[in-house]
Amino acid sequence: MTKPRRNVQFQHKGSNGHHGRRPSASGSSEGVSEPGSPGPKAMNGISEGAGSSRTFLQLTMDVTTTQKEPTPQSEYEKKKQTFITRTIWTFVMIFGFFLAMFAGHIYIIGIVTAIQIVSFKEVIAIANVPSRAKNLPFTRSLNWYFLGTTMYFLYGESVIYYFKHIVLVDRVLLPFATHHRFISFMLYVIGESRWLQLAVRGVTYRLGVGFVFFVGSLQKGHYRFQFTQFAWTHMALYLINVQAHFIMNSIFEGMIWFFLPASLVITNDIFAYVCGITFGRTQLIKLSPKKTVEGFVGAWVLTIIFGFGMTNVLMRYKYFICPVNDLGANIFTGLQCTPNPVFTSQTHTIQPPLLLHQPPFTFSIAPIQFHILVFASFASLIAPFGGFFASGLKRTFKVKDFGESIPGHGGITDRMDCQFIMGFFAFMYYQSFIAVYKTSVGGVIEMAVQGLSVEEQVEVVRGLGKYLAGQGVLADKALRCFEEGLLSRRR
């Protein structure tokens, strides 16, 4: 019996139309071997083929890893793009602010209103739990309803106070003005009748939205969430809308009482940054690790200097220092008024010590220049803590920004965190130390409408008519027509 021969390779049919097994990897790399044992070249081909495969695999993995890891150039480009976006939107906001301020008070009021609404939305959003809010369909509706009723009350208070001479003489607006606070309270407690409907004996009744509806909507298992949202909403209303209400009143008192505090906060922030990166060494507060004591103090000094110079410019223009008596006024039409005495320069004399044998030193300065020292100090030393408060709030909810309303800057609240408390202080300080209280036309009309009967009001008008006729301001014919009109009405 013949032994089978080993290491004998048979030729198989390949691509020439014959059928058979495909050649091995070694055969394909070195060609077809001769019969017999494979030579060293075949073995080298096998090892070289495997090495080539490993090398190719390793290169592929290296390229993939390189693509996943950001290169220093890409990080630089990202920061550069962020800086460019931030700079562009900074100039857009500055341009828009000055354009609105020169266009008229009504446009600034519109901007403040928009800031209130967006800031409220951002603050409410960071405490919202979407999964729970889905199970409570009226959660968001209640938040916005409380915002609407609050703004109705606060805006109404401002309009009635500053435009009494218009509101109280209008037949349609008079009932809303005289009962404004009661209407606002009932809107808050009971509210609009649009959310719930009940059918009783074929008659449809609508239940209101407000405090009563909130209590009625409490659901078992959601008490903590609902009361947290209720408290959070009212905190946002106080910190944002109530303080913004006093900013609105400052605008009505004169543009300077709005623009000056806002510019002091902005410039103080810039000065603190510049001083901090220049010679800042000591950390100021842990909530904001980048804030330094040196930047804090340096910005205080520079803000006082800026405030002194800016006040000296603004006090020369009545458009900035006059209270609003025409919402259609702008920088070109201007405003007319008797300036507050705080803007009138006064002469002061300083007597040097007798030992120096020098004559008295005399200088003129307006009282507002002394007041601006207080404004600048508050903007530098107290207002930044509004920003620290916002930083602590964001850390509590583990968010970087309140929103993305302004590209490159974050949310509106991130830029306004110091402005609200500064505007609140500016109005309170103005009312306490600067405002001049005197009887106004609106005040007289308010007292007559609310404190006198109709007969007494007629007597007041008749007496004023006689006085004006005696002064030659009112024609006797007009006074007789008025008397005849009263007689015919009584008949």
Side-chain angles (χ1 to χ4, degrees), residues 173-241:
L173 298 178
L174 180 60
F176 292 96
T178 53
H179 306 296
H180 171 71
R181 294 178 180 177
F182 179 77
I183 294 172
S184 301
F185 175 75
M186 294 308 295
L187 285 174
Y188 172 81
V189 175
I190 299 177
E192 294 182 354
S193 54
R194 54 175 292 193
W195 294 105
L196 280 182
Q197 293 187 1
L198 295 178
V200 180
R201 297 180 181 178
V203 181
T204 300
Y205 296 93
R206 295 189 175 188
L207 298 183
V209 179
F211 178 78
V212 173
F213 179 77
F214 166 75
V215 176
S217 67
L218 293 173
Q219 295 184 16
K220 187 177 181 180
H222 298 281
Y223 292 152
R224 182 183 294 273
F225 173 75
Q226 288 181 289
F227 276 105
T228 300
Q229 290 293 308
F230 183 81
W232 186 258
T233 300
H234 285 71
M235 186 201 75
L237 291 173
Y238 170 73
L239 292 178
I240 297 173
N241 301 95

Side-chain angles (χ1 to χ4, degrees), residues 15 41 86 106 140 147 157 207 212 230 233 240 271 302 304 315 410 414:
S15 60
K41 287 185 179 182
R86 187 184 181 95
I106 191 67
R140 290 187 178 180
L147 172 66
E157 288 288 306
L207 298 183
V212 173
F230 183 81
T233 300
I240 297 173
F271 291 145
L302 294 176
I304 290 176
M315 62 185 291
D414 294 290

Side-chain angles (χ1 to χ4, degrees), residues 84-85 90 114 133 211 244 279 289 347 418 482:
I84 292 174
T85 304
T90 298
F211 178 78
F279 50 82
T347 302
C418 301
F482 174 73

Side-chain angles (χ1 to χ4, degrees), residues 434-471:
I434 299 176
V436 176
Y437 295 99
K438 59 181 181 180
T439 304
S440 63
V441 175
V444 172
I445 294 175
E446 181 183 22
M447 288 188 293
V449 170
Q450 297 182 355
L452 301 178
S453 63
V454 176
E455 290 76 11
E456 291 172 333
Q457 293 170 8
V458 171
E459 290 299 323
V460 170
V461 174
R462 182 183 286 111
L464 285 174
K466 291 180 179 179
Y467 170 77
L468 294 175
Q471 297 294 321

Side-chain angles (χ1 to χ4, degrees), residues 196-401:
L196 280 182
Q197 293 187 1
L198 295 178
V200 180
R201 297 180 181 178
V203 181
T204 300
Y205 296 93
R206 295 189 175 188
L207 298 183
V209 179
F211 178 78
V212 173
F213 179 77
F214 166 75
V215 176
S217 67
L218 293 173
Q219 295 184 16
K220 187 177 181 180
H222 298 281
Y223 292 152
R224 182 183 294 273
F225 173 75
Q226 288 181 289
F227 276 105
T228 300
Q229 290 293 308
F230 183 81
W232 186 258
T233 300
H234 285 71
M235 186 201 75
L237 291 173
Y238 170 73
L239 292 178
I240 297 173
N241 301 95
V242 173
Q243 294 188 101
H245 162 69
F246 294 105
I247 295 177
M248 299 270 292
N249 289 351
S250 296
I251 297 173
F252 288 126
E253 294 289 352
M255 186 68 79
I256 190 173
W257 307 116
F258 164 77
F259 175 73
L260 196 57
S263 62
L264 289 174
V265 170
I266 295 172
T267 53
N268 177 259
D269 190 37
I270 296 172
F271 291 145
Y273 174 77
V274 173
C275 295
I277 63 173
T278 304
F279 50 82
R281 294 293 182 271
T282 310
Q283 187 181 31
L284 177 65
I285 189 170
K286 290 183 179 180
L287 281 174
S288 295
K290 296 182 180 180
K291 302 290 184 181
T292 62
V293 175
E294 293 81 3
F296 195 69
V297 176
W300 178 25
V301 176
L302 294 176
T303 303
I304 290 176
I305 297 173
F306 168 83
F308 193 87
M310 180 58 69
T311 304
N312 192 41
V313 174
L314 296 179
M315 62 185 291
R316 301 177 183 179
Y317 301 95
K318 287 189 175 182
Y319 177 73
F320 286 96
I321 65 176
C322 285
V324 179
N325 49 31
D326 180 12
L327 286 175
N330 55 51
I331 190 66
F332 300 106
T333 60
L335 291 169
Q336 296 298 323
C337 68
T338 302
N340 189 308
V342 78
F343 297 112
T344 304
S345 296
Q346 298 178 2
T347 302
H348 300 270
T349 302
I350 298 178
Q351 182 68 46
L354 296 176
L355 297 176
L356 297 178
H357 302 289
Q358 295 292 331
F361 176 69
T362 302
F363 66 97
S364 297
I365 189 172
I368 185 62
Q369 300 288 16
F370 296 109
H371 292 293
I372 204 60
L373 299 178
V374 181
F375 277 76
S377 297
F378 188 92
S380 304
L381 304 179
I382 306 299
F385 283 86
F388 300 151
F389 176 85
S391 298
L393 202 61
K394 289 185 286 187
R395 288 175 182 270
T396 301
F397 292 94
K398 299 179 181 179
V399 295
K400 182 182 178 182
D401 297 313

